[in-house]
Amino acid sequence: MSLQEFWFVLIGVLFTGYFVLEGFDFGVGMLMPVLGKGSDTRRRVVLNTIGPVWDGNEVWLITAAGAMFAAFPEWYASLFSGFYFVLLLILVALILRICAIEYRAKIDDPVWRARCDIGIGIGSWLPAFAWGWVFANIVRGVPLDADKQIAGSAADLFSPYALLGALTTGLLFLLHGAIFVSLKTGGEVRADSVRLAKLLFAPTALVVAGFGLWTQLAYGAGWTWIPLGVAVLGLVVAAVAVSAERDGWAFTGTTFVIGAATVLLFGSLFPNVLPSTISDAFHLTIDNASSTPYTLKVMSWAAVIVTPVVLGYQGWTYWVFRKRLTVDHIPAHTGLPLGPAKD
């Protein structure tokens, strides 16, 4: 395996980790108004399922973007300039979600918390759909010209395939989040999340299967039938587990679906990193978009040393906060009252 291939695979692994872990974060944020309906205590139970881990999950995106910048600067430059507006919206939405989660409990006021919940919702719904749209366009190809600039109009990026990609990640993260809440909670919140997961499963499976088959037939390679098969198997496992209310197996199933779908996308893309719909001569590949061999070599040694430490620490975090939550575990609000103090 060449250094260029190694870093392409590593970036794929980083995005896989991001979609699996941040995927249920997005799902939890999107489902807060539904699963938390009726009381603020229920909303706090739902939000606290990701409380210890959501910020660590976002590190996968930062690392993936940094690896893309260092290993494939031409890919990074063309992608982030051509998709600038959408990626900026994702960034703003993530910042809004961060602020809303961190400051929600700082002030003891229902209006304040309701506004923070809106921020959490925007910061979850928008990226969940936008990431599918972005990666569908990357796999399909963009009007990349000889100067490595994305030409054409915005309408070129809103193809039926790209829109189906957006719907796929949105629904898949919703289902993944509902199953995660059922895995992490007990009592009435878990009962409602299980019921919601059962309702979401059929439309999600239909959309995921359609997008996966379209990707394989239009852009896939011979070996990418394997991740497509793994994704189908994951859907079957999740379906059986959701029906039997086996939360751990259901979460394992959707995890495999997201992971296999990401492998399918990156496998369909290889050896390109950003195909051009104008001419094959304008494709960005792992060879013409990469950094120098010396840069890749230094980065590889750093990745080999640091990556196991980061993975070990994050795994330990999930182990420490593995217990289920119920409404009985939620203490009273301790935030400051809104407005001037009263005698």
Side-chain angles (χ1 to χ4, degrees), residues 271-296:
N272 298 316
V273 291
L274 192 61
S276 172
T277 56
I278 297 176
S279 171
D280 291 350
F282 300 156
H283 288 343
L284 284 180
T285 68
I286 62 171
D287 293 317
N288 65 22
S290 71
S291 296
T292 63
Y294 182 75
T295 300
L296 296 178

Side-chain angles (χ1 to χ4, degrees), residues 56-57 74 77 93 96 104 115 131 141 175 183 193 203 211 223 228 241 261 293 302 324 337:
N57 294 342
E74 297 287 357
L96 180 62
R104 187 183 189 276
R115 290 173 180 172
W131 280 123
L175 177 63
L183 178 66
S193 62
F211 179 71
W223 70 270
L228 180 60
R324 293 179 182 267

Side-chain angles (χ1 to χ4, degrees), residues 31-270:
L31 293 173
M32 267 189 67
V34 179
L35 296 179
K37 186 177 182 180
S39 72
D40 183 64
T41 302
R42 284 181 55 124
R43 287 190 289 274
R44 291 171 66 190
V45 169
V46 174
L47 185 59
N48 284 355
T49 60
I50 61 172
V53 298
W54 67 267
D55 48 355
N57 294 342
E58 291 189 343
V59 174
W60 287 80
L61 175 61
I62 298 170
T63 307
M68 187 185 296
F69 171 78
F72 301 102
E74 297 287 357
W75 183 16
Y76 180 92
S78 296
L79 181 65
F80 277 73
S81 60
F83 289 86
Y84 179 82
F85 182 70
V86 175
L87 294 176
L88 178 62
L89 284 179
I90 292 175
L91 178 61
V92 171
L94 292 177
I95 293 173
L96 180 62
R97 189 183 68 147
I98 291 170
C99 294
I101 292 175
E102 290 290 342
Y103 288 97
R104 187 183 189 276
K106 301 300 182 183
I107 298 177
D108 187 11
D109 179 70
V111 176
W112 170 261
R113 292 194 291 271
R115 290 173 180 172
C116 288
D117 291 346
I118 293 173
I120 294 171
I122 294 172
S124 301
W125 281 94
L126 197 155
F129 285 86
W131 280 123
W133 178 84
V134 168
F135 271 87
N137 273 303
I138 293 174
V139 172
R140 176 177 177 267
V142 294
L144 194 70
D145 60 23
D147 296 323
K148 301 174 183 177
Q149 299 289 329
I150 297 179
S153 64
D156 297 328
L157 303 178
F158 285 90
S159 64
Y161 177 74
L163 295 176
L164 183 60
L167 186 61
T168 299
T169 53
L171 286 177
L172 189 52
F173 292 163
L174 265 175
L175 177 63
H176 197 45
I179 293 173
F180 180 76
V181 174
S182 69
L183 178 66
K184 290 290 295 178
T185 61
E188 58 185 16
V189 177
R190 178 186 177 273
D192 289 346
S193 62
V194 169
R195 190 178 304 112
L196 185 58
K198 291 178 180 179
L199 292 174
L200 286 170
F201 191 86
T204 301
L206 182 64
V207 171
V208 170
F211 179 71
L213 188 60
W214 189 342
T215 300
Q216 176 60 38
L217 294 177
Y219 311 106
W223 70 270
T224 51
W225 283 103
I226 297 174
L228 180 60
V230 172
V232 172
L233 179 61
L235 285 173
V236 172
V237 170
V240 174
V242 166
S243 298
E245 298 188 12
R246 298 294 297 272
D247 304 327
W249 280 106
F251 186 75
T252 300
T254 53
T255 295
F256 271 91
V257 174
I258 296 173
T262 309
V263 173
L264 173 62
L265 290 174
F266 274 85
S268 301
L269 186 61
F270 184 83

